[in-house]
Amino acid sequence: MLLKLTLLAVTLFVAIQSVAAFNVVVPAQERRCFFEILKKGDNLHVSFQVGEGGHLDIDFWMTDPSNTLVEDATKEASATYNHEAKVNGKHEYCFSNAFSTITEKTVGFNALVMEPYREDATHKADPLENEIRELAAGIQEIRNEQEYTLARERTHRNTAESTNSRVVWWSLFQSGILFLVCVFQITYLKRFFEVKRVV
């Protein structure tokens, strides 16, 4: 039994070849591209979210080894794409900020490459193995949701800090104006009540 569980754990670690979570800054009028080497039947899962910059949107596309467009999105704030490789080779995905003239964007993204499970003809499927595979897929979904939640929290925190800073500066400005009005009123009223003596 222990041997089966160990074998299953190793199979799960091999099935999920690579998981990568990155944050990348995409300057205005530029793009950032990444690639994964996939075998036919592998599944590439890319999820992203724009954390900072402008209207929190970015262009995204994915191409296969023959440069055929597989996925395409314009001005997305966050999205998730799955692609099953039809051919072996380098599959590329890019984030473009070409439509922005000034603002750079910070994009957080995950790339997950999964090999399909190929059952051995001599090995009969065990219900426990199937359950563990389902649990592993569920855990990956939870990880993706946590990363999405962290990115949203970072965005909201930056918005709250920016708003707080603006409120502080506006309050200081209003206090300064109030002080100047008080000084003006005191000097004006003082002159109003001065007695002018005629000699």
Side-chain angles (χ1 to χ4, degrees):
M1 182 69 173
L2 183 61
L3 180 61
K4 275 188 173 183
L5 288 177
T6 306
L7 180 63
L8 186 59
V10 169
T11 304
L12 285 175
F13 285 120
V14 170
I16 299 176
Q17 283 184 342
S18 64
V19 177
F22 300 103
N23 279 326
V24 64
V25 175
V26 184
Q29 300 292 318
E30 291 188 25
R31 70 179 182 183
R32 295 289 185 257
C33 293
F34 305 90
F35 68 90
E36 299 289 339
I37 306 293
L38 301 178
K39 291 181 239 166
K40 184 177 180 179
D42 287 355
N43 197 358
L44 175 61
H45 172 89
V46 178
S47 61
F48 68 90
Q49 180 178 14
V50 181
E52 293 178 22
H55 296 291
L56 300 178
D57 55 355
I58 199 143
D59 293 342
F60 172 82
W61 66 86
M62 188 184 302
T63 59
D64 66 7
S66 62
N67 279 338
T68 305
L69 198 61
V70 176
E71 300 286 350
D72 187 23
T74 305
K75 294 189 177 183
E76 288 282 338
S78 64
T80 299
Y81 294 99
N82 289 308
H83 170 65
E84 184 178 335
K86 306 288 186 243
V87 294
N88 295 341
K90 182 170 92 169
H91 290 69
E92 189 175 50
Y93 51 97
C94 297
F95 302 99
S96 174
N97 195 15
F99 58 86
S100 180
T101 55
I102 299 171
T103 309
E104 66 181 20
K105 310 281 174 79
T106 302
V107 180
F109 69 96
N110 299 334
L112 170 66
V113 177
M114 293 182 66
E115 281 185 9
Y117 176 71
R118 294 176 181 94
E119 211 170 283
D120 193 3
T122 61
H123 182 255
K124 194 172 184 180
D126 184 18
L128 181 61
E129 287 180 38
N130 293 336
E131 288 296 321
I132 291 177
R133 267 191 222 94
E134 288 178 21
L135 285 173
I139 288 171
Q140 188 57 45
E141 285 296 319
I142 290 170
R143 283 183 182 166
N144 291 339
E145 284 297 317
Q146 283 178 330
E147 288 169 7
Y148 173 79
T149 304
L150 285 173
R152 294 296 299 162
E153 186 271 333
R154 182 173 48 246
T155 301
H156 292 307
R157 184 181 61 240
N158 290 343
T159 303
E161 288 174 359
S162 172
T163 303
N164 184 42
S165 174
R166 290 177 184 174
V167 167
V168 166
W169 285 109
W170 180 248
S171 298
L172 290 173
F173 175 73
Q174 284 183 327
S175 298
I177 294 296
L178 184 63
F179 178 75
L180 291 175
V181 167
C182 287
V183 168
F184 172 75
Q185 285 180 347
I186 289 172
T187 56
Y188 183 76
L189 287 175
K190 205 174 188 183
R191 275 197 271 146
F192 185 73
F193 287 111
E194 280 182 357
V195 177
K196 296 188 178 182
R197 295 182 187 174
V198 180
V199 180

